[in-house]
Amino acid sequence: MPPRRPRALLPVLALSLGLAAPLAPPAVAVTPEEGPGETPVARAVTSSGRPAKVADILEYCGTKRSACTFRIDPKQAREYATAVKSLGNAVVNCTTSDMGVDRTVTLRTSSTDNIGGEISGKITAEGTVSASGEVTTNLSNDITSENKTPNLKDGPTSTNGTKTSVAGGAKAAGSMSAKLAFEAAFKATYSKSWTIDNTETTVYKSTVKPYDMLVFGASAAMRRVVGDLVTDTGKKILNVSVDSPSMVNTSSFVAQTYAVPDRLCGRKRPAGDTAPDGDNSPPGGLRSAPAQEVPAARAVPPGADPKREVVLSSHAH
C-alpha cells in the first residue's frame, strides 16, 4: 500500500504535561506529528562525564530496585502517527459478480525502546489473520504473508507475520529496575499509568466490485518519551527513548479500493463501471463470491492511486 495519509484527522483528546504536584496543570491539546522522526541514540556516561558502557549500567540497575531512577524530559516528548501500512492481504475480485466482504480488522501496537528492550521488554511481535478475517499486526515491523484456502462465508483469509530484531544480549523480561523506574517517572510526569500495549479494532462491511480489490491499512497513534536513566552512583544512560501507544489519540484505519491490474486476473479488465456503487449497504445485503488474496505490496502497483478511500473509526480495548 502506498504511504498515503488518512484524510480524516485523528481524534485529539487532552494531555496533562506537568511534573507530580498537588494540582495538575491545565490539559493541553496535542496534535500528532507525521512519523516518529529520528530515534535518539542512547549514550552512557560516568558520574564525571566520561564514556561508559550501556550494558554495564543496565546490569547495575538490575542489582536492586532502587539502583536507578528515570528522569523524563517533557520537552522532547511527542505524539506522532506512523505511516499507513497494509494489514493482511488485498482482497481481489476476479469474477463478474459483486463480492461481499465483512471484516473485523484489529491493530495491536506495543512499546519499544532504544536500549534493547530493557524497559519495554518487547523482543518480538507476531501477527496473524484468523479464519474469520481478523487481522493482527504490529506496524513497527516488516510484513510477510502467505495465502490460505478462502473461507467463502466471510471472504478469503490469509496469514501474515511480523518480527522485530533487537540488540544482542537483550532480556525478554527487561530489566525490572529500569522498567519500574520508567513507569514511576511516567506516572509522576503525566499523572497516568504507562500503557505498554494497546489493541484497536474496526468493523467494515463493503462490496468489492468485479475487477476491483480492497486493501486494509492503519496508521498507529504513538507517543515517544525521552529521558535519562540515572544510577544512585551518578552514572547515566542519556537519551533513552520509549515509544508506546498514545493515550490521547486513536489510530486510524483506512480501506482503499483499487482497480485490479490485468496481470492479477489473467485477462483485461472490462471497460467502464462493472457494477453499481453499493458501498457499505448493497441491495439485499452482502453476498459471498469466489475471490483470491495476494500480498498488498505485490497487488498494488507502485504509485497507484485508490479509486476510493474510506477512513474508519477505531475502538480501543
Side-chain angles (χ1 to χ4, degrees):
M1 172 181 288
R4 297 172 61 85
R5 302 298 310 145
R7 293 172 184 164
L9 293 176
L10 295 173
V12 179
L13 301 178
L15 174 65
S16 177
L17 285 179
L19 295 174
L23 293 177
V28 178
V30 178
T31 301
E33 301 177 38
E34 184 83 10
E38 186 175 351
T39 302
V41 177
R43 182 170 60 92
V45 295
T46 65
S47 57
S48 60
R50 296 195 303 271
K53 293 183 179 180
V54 170
D56 290 344
I57 295 179
L58 290 172
E59 182 178 358
Y60 178 76
C61 285
T63 59
K64 54 183 178 179
R65 181 167 178 169
S66 60
C68 294
T69 56
F70 198 94
R71 299 176 183 172
I72 291 176
D73 181 2
K75 294 181 180 179
Q76 295 193 64
R78 65 196 304 261
E79 294 281 332
Y80 67 90
T82 65
V84 175
K85 282 196 175 182
S86 300
L87 297 180
N89 292 341
V91 179
V92 182
N93 185 2
C94 289
T95 73
T96 57
S97 302
D98 289 0
M99 184 192 74
V101 175
D102 185 345
R103 285 288 176 90
T104 298
V105 187
T106 301
L107 169 68
R108 181 182 178 187
T109 50
S110 58
S111 302
T112 58
D113 59 63
N114 65 347
I115 52 174
E118 291 288 342
I119 291 177
S120 64
K122 299 294 183 182
I123 302 305
T124 62
E126 296 181 353
T128 61
V129 181
S130 72
S132 64
E134 179 175 314
V135 182
T136 305
T137 190
N138 186 312
L139 287 182
S140 65
N141 304 294
D142 293 327
I143 297 175
T144 57
S145 304
E146 64 181 11
N147 295 325
K148 285 186 176 181
T149 303
N151 179 336
L152 299 183
K153 177 179 180 297
D154 296 314
T157 64
S158 63
T159 297
N160 79 353
T162 61
K163 183 175 182 180
T164 297
S165 299
V166 297
K171 304 172 186 176
S175 169
M176 185 57 66
S177 180
K179 184 175 182 179
L180 291 175
F182 178 80
E183 289 177 338
F186 190 96
K187 190 167 187 178
T189 304
Y190 300 107
S191 301
K192 293 181 180 179
S193 296
W194 174 44
T195 300
I196 299 175
D197 53 40
N198 187 45
T199 301
E200 297 170 278
T201 64
T202 190
V203 178
Y204 189 63
K205 297 182 180 181
S206 183
T207 297
V208 180
K209 299 176 186 179
Y211 291 89
D212 279 356
M213 61 183 174
L214 181 65
V215 179
F216 290 105
S219 172
M222 303 290 290
R223 171 201 296 262
R224 172 169 292 172
V225 174
V226 180
D228 302 332
L229 190 62
V230 183
T231 71
D232 55 8
T233 63
K235 293 182 179 180
K236 305 175 184 177
I237 302 179
L238 306 174
N239 297 323
V240 177
S241 71
V242 180
D243 291 87
S244 307
S246 172
M247 296 186 303
V248 299
N249 296 303
T250 57
S251 300
S252 285
F253 291 89
V254 58
Q256 293 178 325
T257 301
Y258 293 86
V260 176
D262 293 337
R263 56 186 170 81
L264 282 184
C265 291
R267 57 184 184 271
K268 291 289 185 180
R269 174 185 171 85
D273 264 346
T274 56
D277 192 354
D279 295 340
N280 281 322
S281 55
L286 297 173
R287 291 182 288 126
S288 296
Q292 61 174 308
E293 288 208 7
V294 295
R298 179 163 61 88
V300 180
D305 288 324
K307 296 171 58 180
R308 187 166 181 266
E309 185 175 90
V310 179
V311 178
L312 312 169
S313 61
S314 65
H315 308 282
H317 59 86

